[in-house]
Amino acid sequence: MVCTGNICRSPMADVILRHLLADAGIDDVEVSSSGMGGWHVGEGADRRTVSTLARHGYDGASHIASQFDPRDFDRYDLVLAADRGHQRALHRAARTDADRAKVRLLREFDPAAVAAGTLEVDDPWYGVTADFERCLREVEAACRGLIETLQALDHADGTADRPAADRTDATKDES
C-alpha cells in the first residue's frame, strides 16, 4: 500500500486489509505500507487516521511510517497505489517491466469505484473528519474487493480447500 507520506491512506489500507484478511482466515498474504516521500519516516499515523480507524474497530496505533524503496518490488507481488500520481511515481521507480506490472490502483478492486470511474483515494490530510470517514469507506470497499479477488484466485488454482501451510510459494499473493 503506497501513498504520499504513509500517515493517512496507506496505513489505513494496511490496517484494514490485515484485519479483513484475518477475518477471512487468510494467513499467507504479507501486507505493508509506505509513502513515496520520506517526510514522516519513523512517525505514527496521523491522529485523525488512528481515530477514524478506531471508530470502526481497527487499531492503527502501532503504525510507523516508512518510505517506499524500489527494492520492495523484489519482495511483493502487488504494489497498490492510492492515486494516479503515486502510480506514476511507482512506475518511474520500477526497474523492470515486471515491476511496473505489479503496480495497481487500490480502488481497482472495488467494483463500484470501477463502475463510477473513481479509482483514486483522495488524500484526507487537508480535510475534516468526514474526509477521513470517506477515505475509510473507499479503502475498506477496495480491500474487501481485493480479498474477493485473492479468494477467487485461490479457488481457481485449487488451493482453497488445502490449509495455507500446505500451499506453495507459487500461490502466495502479497500486497
Side-chain angles (χ1 to χ4, degrees):
M1 307 295 185
V2 180
C3 71
T4 304
N6 194 218
I7 59 170
C8 294
R9 293 171 285 180
S10 58
M12 192 176 283
D14 183 334
V15 168
I16 290 171
L17 184 58
R18 286 174 194 268
H19 183 95
L20 296 176
L21 286 166
D23 284 353
I26 300 172
D27 61 2
D28 61 345
V29 175
E30 182 180 345
V31 180
S32 72
S33 65
S34 57
M36 290 307 299
W39 314 281
H40 300 288
V41 169
E43 297 176 14
D46 182 276
R47 63 177 171 70
R48 298 165 297 174
T49 297
V50 174
S51 63
T52 302
L53 285 165
R55 279 193 301 279
H56 294 272
Y58 301 109
D59 182 6
S62 64
H63 173 77
I64 301 296
S66 65
Q67 184 174 5
F68 185 81
D69 183 319
R71 291 175 294 191
D72 291 340
F73 282 115
D74 296 336
R75 187 171 168 195
Y76 298 109
D77 297 323
L78 186 60
V79 179
L80 299 173
D83 65 35
R84 292 191 193 284
H86 304 126
Q87 184 181 40
R88 285 188 298 274
L90 288 163
H91 281 158
R92 285 190 302 273
R95 297 165 298 185
T96 66
D97 287 340
D99 288 349
R100 277 183 282 287
K102 294 177 181 184
V103 178
R104 305 270 303 269
L105 289 169
L106 173 61
R107 291 193 75 199
E108 288 179 38
F109 293 94
D110 176 2
V114 171
T118 56
L119 297 181
E120 296 186 297
V121 179
D122 291 330
D123 193 348
W125 172 256
Y126 292 106
V128 296
T129 301
D131 297 301
F132 282 84
E133 291 289 335
R134 175 206 32 82
C135 183
L136 183 133
R137 286 189 307 274
E138 291 174 356
V139 166
E140 196 171 51
C143 288
R144 288 186 192 286
L146 176 57
I147 288 172
E148 288 174 10
T149 299
L150 293 174
Q151 290 170 325
L153 288 172
D154 207 19
H155 284 289
D157 74 5
T159 63
D161 297 324
R162 289 187 282 142
D166 294 341
R167 298 178 194 170
T168 66
D169 284 339
T171 63
K172 184 174 181 180
D173 292 299
E174 297 176 352
S175 301

